[in-house]
Amino acid sequence: MNWEQLLSLKRFGDKHKRIRKEQDETRLGFEVDYDRVIFSSAFRSLQDKTQVIPLSKTDFVHTRLTHSLEVSVVGRSLGRIAGRKILEKHPYLREIHGYQFNDFGAIVAAAALAHDIGNPPFGHSGEKAIGEYFKTGKGQQYAAVLSEKEFQDIADFEGNANGFKLLSESRTGVAGGLRLSYATLGAFMKYPKESLPIKPTKHIADKKFGFFQSDVASFEEIAKELGLIQTRSGKDIGYCRHPLTFLVEAADDICYTIIDFEDGINLGLISEDYALEYLIKLVKDSINIQKYHELVYREDRISYLRALAINTLITDAIDVFVAHEAEILKGEFTVSLLEKSKFKAQINDIIDLSVRKIYDSQEVIEKEIAGYKVISDILEVYTTALIRDREGNSSNYDHLMISTLPEFYRQSDTSVYNILLNTCCYVASLSDSAAVHIHNKIMGKTL
């Protein structure tokens, strides 16, 4: 892979090549990507989607929206620092093509801003709930009428693939979705493969999947424009990651490791003593002990440690990225940047504690259980109504239910696969509160 191709400014539908030197420096194409994501309705719904605690009543706990904003800030820093080092190593990118270090920061920031845009309500349990409906619930019946890959798309529903669909899918009057640059879409794609085969290698890019069968053509167009290396051919599709994806992933890993931990402390699920014990190992070379002891309030002390810890991990991730740039460009770097971190043991300690004290806490588990029921019931009602309508034997109740869907999701004159996938994507678009509200109406609990 080469950087000139990887930094493509092309957008869906372009007839002519976009030249970096011809860009308006007051509003670069990559910065337009960020704006388009932040003004999208899918991004707004993240303000009421779970990051750590579903349906939290506490206003300082992070939602998917605040998490995404923070990841984009960290991603921008990672991209700019990496960009400066890449331009030093490959000066032709600046001298001949006009790329600046801010371009790298803008690409990573936009992709990082969108990294959770396709996630369902109720956190990662929401993804599992959608899949379980088809694996073990009433949705099992559809396996007989779908191809193996089509069924795997919904039986292993993936927020990353839904995110790509939201960002790139054409609909009537809106060609190419948000029409982001291909560089940003490439950086967004953590898992550039289909739903099958499942984890064909131990490469980080094969851990999950990144696009549905409905989006194969648009993904392949982007991959070929960017010059991504193809890892599988024939009946299975798979590519190496865009190098900047490693920075997007690192930004996410840094934020959820440190900031979810901070949330746990502020919620009282983790004691401040643990914060000192675990975070001090990351910040011992940069902490100002006097300043720390002058901070009166716990929240301020934790915020100070958090800022230092994030800065430490940013510097470390860049060191790993630069050291392995040649391997990354060849598609031979097989793990996340933090996996090679010199602080890997400390990171794992923090994550293990967060799992025990936060993610597996009684409050989280109880709400996730309720989320399974909510999502399963909504899927059952809408998939049944739409499939019956497609077959011409829908009831009046089915018609009433279909009428409550946004117009785009009411289509029943299409394939069974499209109906089921679109319904999954509709459920995934709901905020936590909206899902509960719809479920209450379906169950007749509220009018």
Side-chain angles (χ1 to χ4, degrees):
M1 294 181 280
N2 67 82
W3 283 112
E4 180 191 353
Q5 206 171 350
L6 291 164
L7 298 173
S8 173
L9 283 152
K10 182 177 180 179
R11 299 177 188 277
F12 178 86
D14 280 354
K15 302 299 182 186
H16 304 287
K17 184 177 177 65
R18 294 179 186 245
I19 309 299
R20 173 60 183 86
K21 281 190 171 180
E22 297 174 357
Q23 286 282 297
D24 180 355
E25 293 294 334
T26 62
R27 193 165 184 256
L28 296 171
F30 301 131
E31 292 171 342
V32 171
D33 292 342
Y34 190 96
D35 300 347
R36 290 182 176 180
V37 172
I38 210 163
F39 281 106
S40 67
S41 58
F43 183 77
R44 285 197 300 276
S45 74
L46 298 179
Q47 67 187 306
D48 186 27
K49 283 190 177 181
T50 296
Q51 171 60 19
V52 180
I53 308 294
L55 299 165
S56 175
K57 304 301 182 185
T58 311
D59 59 7
F60 62 74
V61 172
H62 289 80
T63 65
R64 286 280 178 194
L65 185 138
T66 49
H67 167 72
S68 297
L69 290 168
E70 289 166 347
V71 173
S72 74
V73 169
V74 173
R76 183 181 61 206
S77 296
L78 285 164
R80 285 180 175 179
I81 300 168
R84 189 182 295 279
K85 293 181 181 294
I86 289 166
L87 292 175
E88 289 172 359
K89 188 174 180 180
H90 308 285
Y92 77 93
L93 291 170
R94 178 193 291 114
E95 295 163 3
I96 297 176
H97 302 292
Y99 287 105
Q100 304 296 324
F101 70 87
N102 281 343
D103 294 325
F104 295 83
I107 293 167
V108 178
L113 186 72
H115 83 282
D116 272 349
I117 202 166
N119 280 29
F122 307 113
H124 288 297
S125 67
E127 284 177 320
K128 293 175 184 174
I130 292 173
E132 289 294 332
Y133 173 76
F134 295 100
K135 283 180 184 174
T136 60
K138 294 182 179 179
Q140 290 180 82
Q141 61 182 305
Y142 300 114
V145 295
L146 301 180
S147 73
E148 194 177 4
K149 289 180 179 178
E150 287 174 340
F151 187 72
Q152 190 63 33
D153 280 357
I154 55 177
D156 196 16
F157 187 84
E158 175 56 53
N160 289 286
N162 188 39
F164 180 74
K165 186 178 183 69
L166 284 167
L167 297 176
S168 63
E169 182 182 46
S170 295
R171 60 174 71 186
T172 305
V174 185
L178 297 187
R179 291 192 71 239
L180 304 183
S181 71
Y182 283 8
T184 294
L185 287 171
F188 168 85
M189 184 66 65
K190 288 174 71 175
Y191 309 109
K193 67 175 287 291
E194 302 174 286
S195 55
L196 288 176
I198 299 171
K199 295 183 181 179
T201 73
K202 293 184 178 180
H203 198 295
I204 187 70
D206 284 336
K207 182 180 177 182
K208 299 180 183 179
F209 70 96
F211 54 90
F212 298 123
Q213 288 302 298
S214 60
D215 302 311
V216 167
S218 57
F219 169 75
E220 288 208 289
E221 178 186 332
I222 294 164
K224 287 170 183 173
E225 166 69 19
L226 295 171
L228 302 186
I229 298 170
Q230 194 165 2
T231 56
R232 281 178 291 283
S233 58
K235 67 186 181 87
D236 298 323
I237 299 170
Y239 287 80
C240 289
R241 280 180 167 181
H242 190 294
L244 295 183
T245 304
F246 286 96
L247 298 179
V248 175
E249 179 180 60
D252 186 25
D253 290 348
I254 289 168
C255 285
Y256 83 69
T257 298
I258 303 301
I259 297 174
D260 286 5
F261 188 61
E262 179 186 17
D263 273 355
I265 296 163
N266 287 330
L267 285 167
L269 297 172
I270 298 173
S271 75
E272 185 178 356
D273 290 340
Y274 276 123
L276 280 174
E277 179 186 347
Y278 283 69
L279 293 179
I280 206 73
K281 295 173 185 176
L282 291 175
V283 305
K284 61 180 179 358
D285 294 332
S286 56
I287 189 170
N288 181 326
I289 297 296
Q290 181 181 345
K291 179 177 180 179
Y292 177 80
H293 287 298
E294 287 173 354
L295 297 171
V296 176
Y297 302 107
R298 181 186 67 182
E299 288 80 3
D300 294 333
R301 293 192 295 272
I302 301 305
S303 293
Y304 178 58
L305 293 176
R306 176 249 298 150
L308 292 178
I310 288 175
N311 188 62
T312 297
L313 294 179
I314 286 175
T315 301
D316 184 61
I318 290 294
D319 289 344
V320 175
F321 183 83
V322 172
H324 295 277
E325 186 214 2
E327 292 170 66
I328 290 171
L329 285 172
K330 292 176 184 175
E332 296 172 357
F333 190 75
T334 62
V335 297
S336 68
L337 297 180
L338 264 59
E339 189 68 21
K340 291 286 187 181
S341 171
K342 63 184 177 184
F343 300 106
K344 184 174 182 293
Q346 291 89 336
I347 291 168
N348 288 342
D349 285 344
I350 291 172
I351 291 173
D352 289 345
L353 186 63
S354 294
V355 168
R356 294 200 312 272
K357 299 288 187 178
I358 307 171
Y359 309 136
D360 290 344
S361 68
Q362 197 66 23
E363 179 183 2
V364 170
I365 289 172
E366 288 174 356
K367 288 179 178 177
E368 286 185 344
I369 289 170
Y372 266 87
K373 176 65 174 171
V374 167
I375 286 175
S376 178
D377 286 347
I378 294 174
L379 275 174
E380 170 64 15
V381 167
Y382 284 121
T383 55
T384 299
L386 288 163
I387 294 297
R388 283 177 180 168
D389 194 54
R390 179 181 186 273
E391 295 170 349
N393 59 1
S394 53
S395 66
N396 185 54
Y397 176 75
D398 293 331
H399 285 298
L400 289 172
M401 290 310 305
I402 292 171
S403 70
T404 66
L405 286 168
E407 192 170 353
F408 175 73
Y409 296 105
R410 296 178 193 173
Q411 303 169 33
S412 60
D413 56 343
T414 183
S415 68
V416 172
Y417 170 70
N418 284 333
I419 289 173
L420 297 177
L421 180 60
N422 284 340
T423 307
C424 290
C425 292
Y426 165 68
V427 172
S429 75
L430 299 173
S431 66
D432 293 8
S433 297
V436 171
H437 178 68
I438 290 169
H439 186 256
N440 286 340
K441 283 186 173 293
I442 289 172
M443 297 293 106
K445 294 178 181 178
T446 59
L447 296 176

